[in-house]
Amino acid sequence: MQKKILELKNIDFSYGKKQVLNNISFEINNGSFSVLLGLNGAGKSTIFSLVTRLQNLQIGEIIINDYPIKNYSKALKDIGIVFQEPTLDLDLTVKQNLYYYGALKGLGFKETLKSIHEEIKRLELDNVLDTTVRNLNGGHRRRVEILRALIDKPKLLLLDEPTVGLDLKSRFDILDYVRDLVAREGLSVLWITHLFDEVDENDDITIIKAGKIIDKGIVKNIVAKHEKNNLVNTFNYLVR
């Protein structure tokens, strides 16, 4: 039986009297690239906020690498996080941003760079380590955020709409890099998006609408089950 790196069980969540998540349950297998797909306002970012403890769990259970989310220090120690909104300090260099995050992880300067040495090269950031983030373009800033999330080699990488606002080439360069990480390092990924062209037919997908899961499974199997030609047509059929 394949090990689960992330499990959400029967999650309900409300902002005041407004319920935004209704009985959300899905899981991510260890070493897989999984997608949470839904339109804006579907509840994707709320799920991200619960898994990362930006919001407190109200009803249900979240388990990360066998640890309940309530065991904060153990559950989150193996997670790398890329937020939708930029979180780099624009007035620090790339290297300084990395050092600062490494220090939060309890790593020294040398340990921080050592833990991401190969990824610096693969992300083509070795020539901008001493550049102030403010002077980087959007694509390179996003690469730095992904690089920062890989410090200390997490087992699960969570990315909330990581390509929003980027040009087409930058989007797919980042997507290809993350997919390669899964294949090369066995990293587990939850890729949260509303962009259909970022989803492959072999991806494990959870589709959400208005706070409810409307289907989940391997993309090509879902498409075949509903007798549609592609994911876009299947999605439109499911959310009609």
Side-chain angles (χ1 to χ4, degrees):
M1 185 175 179
Q2 197 164 11
K3 177 179 171 59
K4 311 300 180 188
I5 190 73
L6 174 65
E7 299 174 79
L8 284 78
K9 300 180 179 180
N10 310 118
I11 304 295
D12 287 355
F13 187 83
S14 299
Y15 293 109
K17 294 182 179 180
K18 182 181 179 181
Q19 185 172 5
V20 294
L21 296 179
N22 188 336
N23 196 32
I24 297 293
S25 296
F26 68 91
E27 55 196 28
I28 295 178
N29 291 324
N30 192 41
S32 69
F33 184 97
S34 298
V35 178
L36 178 61
L37 176 71
L39 300 179
N40 292 333
K44 305 186 304 297
S45 289
T46 300
I47 291 172
F48 178 88
S49 295
L50 290 171
V51 176
T52 57
R53 281 295 297 269
L54 293 174
Q55 295 282 355
N56 290 323
L57 193 62
Q58 295 173 349
I59 297 174
E61 188 176 7
I62 297 176
I63 300 170
I64 303 172
N65 202 24
D66 295 330
Y67 291 107
I69 194 71
K70 292 179 181 178
N71 191 338
Y72 181 85
S73 61
K74 291 184 178 179
L76 296 189
K77 70 180 179 68
D78 289 326
I79 290 185
I81 302 169
V82 178
F83 297 95
Q84 182 175 346
E85 296 298 324
T87 57
L88 297 170
D89 190 317
L90 298 180
D91 295 316
L92 297 180
T93 66
V94 170
K95 192 182 292 184
Q96 287 169 332
N97 272 276
L98 298 174
Y99 285 162
Y100 178 73
Y101 187 79
L104 294 178
K105 288 268 196 176
L107 302 178
F109 293 169
K110 290 183 178 180
E111 292 173 299
T112 295
L113 290 186
K114 183 178 179 181
S115 72
I116 51 175
H117 176 70
E118 291 301 320
E119 304 315 319
I120 291 172
K121 295 180 179 178
R122 289 191 172 96
L123 283 165
E124 299 178 353
L125 293 172
D126 41 335
N127 292 326
V128 299
L129 290 177
D130 293 312
T131 301
T132 303
V133 170
R134 189 179 299 279
N135 293 320
L136 299 179
N137 62 38
H140 276 87
R141 291 183 189 184
R142 199 47 120 181
R143 292 185 188 202
V144 174
E145 291 185 295
I146 292 173
L147 180 63
R148 182 183 60 180
L150 296 175
I151 288 173
D152 208 22
K153 301 189 180 300
K155 296 178 180 176
L156 172 64
L157 183 61
L158 305 174
L159 306 101
D160 185 15
E161 301 276 8
T163 63
V164 167
L166 301 183
D167 62 73
L168 191 63
K169 183 180 187 305
S170 294
R171 281 177 54 210
F172 282 94
D173 283 348
I174 287 172
L175 179 60
D176 290 346
Y177 171 78
V178 174
R179 288 187 181 278
D180 179 66
L181 266 178
V182 175
R184 175 167 43 86
E185 301 291 338
L187 184 67
S188 306
V189 166
L190 177 58
W191 184 275
I192 300 175
T193 188
H194 68 277
L195 300 169
F196 293 90
D197 59 356
E198 295 181 352
V199 185
D200 184 84
E201 67 173 7
N202 295 307
D203 289 339
D204 195 346
I205 195 172
T206 299
I207 303 173
I208 185 172
K209 175 194 175 186
K212 296 181 181 180
I213 291 175
I214 54 176
D215 214 335
K216 58 185 176 180
I218 303 300
V219 171
K220 62 184 178 184
N221 295 342
I222 293 175
V223 171
K225 178 176 69 174
H226 296 290
E227 299 181 335
K228 302 299 177 184
N229 295 325
N230 53 51
L231 179 60
V232 173
N233 291 339
T234 303
F235 183 88
N236 289 336
Y237 169 76
L238 290 170
V239 302
R240 73 194 189 285

